[in-house]
Amino acid sequence: MVELGVNIDHVATLRQARRTVEPDPVAAAVLAELGGADSITIHLREDRRHIQDRDVRVLAETLRAKFNFELSCAPEIVQIACSVRPEQATLVPEKRQEVTTEGGLDLRPRSPELRNAIATLRDSGISVSLFIDPDDQQVRIAKELGVDAVELHTGQYAEARGQEQLQELRRLEHASQLVNDMGLKLHAGHGLTYQNVRPLAAIPGMRELNIGHSIVSRAVLVGIKEAVREMKLLLNTP
Ligand code: PXP
């Protein structure tokens, strides 16, 4: 079975647009769990643009599903992850100006910062996944670094169309085969939607797909009719 990881960052994005208390990503996590989410993913960015430290603490205390903490190698954030001990940490590259995580980690420099982050997280009993492009060399280095899983970046697949999309799918299938052969757990995500997710779910050995924007977007649309109905009722109830 392929597990669904629901990324709730954009619930927090909406809250931070007003710097208020709603919508609360913790409430969204509870509802996502009721809907069948196998894990809940949040990315505590260094600039705190969406998820806040409080969210991390409350989620760590209340989640029933697996907690997947997405983070950069910044020691401050690694320390926060170690203090709340999620089941899984996914290391990602982080740039201040980007709208969202743009590419996978480049593991080739085998940087001390990356090695330290992996060691610190694993010493705290946290399973570590690396977000990488679907590239043989990156997969081999991930294995060498001693992590538990890799998450293949599906962004290029999601953006491509027609023949090009098929080629991107082949790239992902090829890298997935290598991930399986190397005995690493296989995850994937970024840009996945209700329209493009099925070929990814069909890849042999796929364990976890992490999806955020498309699910939160759909939640707004399927929920708006009921939300308006409730407000209208209030206006006209003495
Ligand atoms: N996986 C990783 C590592 C990510 O950084 C993101 C985006 O935060 C996602 C999955 C989810 O991407 P999307 O919001 O496009 O579904």
Side-chain angles (χ1 to χ4, degrees):
M1 200 188 78
V2 184
E3 296 193 343
L4 173 61
V6 178
N7 180 316
I8 53 171
D9 290 348
H10 292 310
V11 177
T13 301
L14 188 55
R15 177 191 61 191
Q16 295 311 111
R18 283 286 176 95
R19 291 193 165 59
T20 176
V21 294
E22 67 172 7
D24 189 342
V26 176
V30 172
L31 294 171
E33 284 179 332
L34 287 173
D38 298 291
S39 55
I40 299 293
T41 302
I42 49 98
H43 182 179
L44 183 69
R45 296 186 75 106
E46 286 175 73
D47 63 11
R48 309 296 201 272
R49 69 170 70 155
H50 39 51
I51 292 293
Q52 305 296 304
D53 297 52
R54 165 268 181 199
D55 303 330
V56 173
R57 284 194 306 274
V58 182
L59 283 168
E61 280 176 18
T62 54
L63 273 187
R64 287 283 170 273
K66 183 172 92 177
F67 187 5
N68 178 30
F69 192 138
E70 212 181 291
L71 73 165
S72 71
C73 294
E76 179 222 346
I77 310 286
V78 172
Q79 277 315 319
I80 294 174
C82 290
S83 71
V84 298
R85 307 212 9 199
E87 282 86 353
Q88 180 173 294
T90 301
L91 288 165
V92 300
E94 196 176 302
K95 296 192 214 107
R96 277 294 149 88
Q97 297 81 10
E98 68 191 355
V99 174
T100 180
T101 316
E102 280 166 358
L105 285 164
D106 182 3
L107 306 181
R108 286 172 302 175
R110 298 165 172 82
S111 73
E113 206 189 18
L114 176 65
R115 285 182 188 274
N116 286 341
I118 295 170
T120 309
L121 292 162
R122 295 197 87 223
D123 285 351
S124 293
I126 302 164
S127 170
V128 177
S129 175
L130 300 179
F131 186 50
I132 56 170
D133 290 329
D135 173 273
D136 283 10
Q137 195 184 8
Q138 300 292 342
V139 175
R140 289 184 202 284
I141 302 173
K143 178 68 182 174
E144 181 192 311
L145 289 169
V147 293
D148 307 280
V150 294
E151 179 172 335
L152 298 180
H153 192 312
T154 53
Q156 276 175 282
Y157 160 77
E159 276 173 29
R161 292 288 170 272
Q163 225 18 62
E164 268 180 34
Q165 189 168 49
L166 217 55
Q167 275 169 17
E168 290 298 334
L169 180 61
R170 297 287 165 262
R171 249 183 97 203
L172 284 158
E173 287 168 344
H174 176 84
S176 297
Q177 176 71 54
L178 187 60
V179 173
N180 290 331
D181 291 348
M182 302 224 122
L184 292 164
K185 289 180 188 157
L186 175 62
H187 306 164
H190 208 283
L192 296 178
T193 65
Y194 294 82
Q195 290 74 33
N196 67 19
V197 73
R198 294 190 69 176
L200 262 292
I203 292 179
M206 185 60 70
R207 289 198 179 211
E208 178 181 304
L209 291 175
N210 286 304
I211 308 179
H213 188 263
S214 188
I215 292 178
V216 174
S217 304
R218 178 133 182 92
V220 171
L221 292 188
V222 299
I224 199 157
K225 195 166 148 192
E226 179 63 15
V228 170
R229 202 188 61 77
E230 286 174 9
M231 184 61 84
K232 189 77 189 287
L233 209 62
L234 279 179
L235 302 190
N236 297 292
T237 308

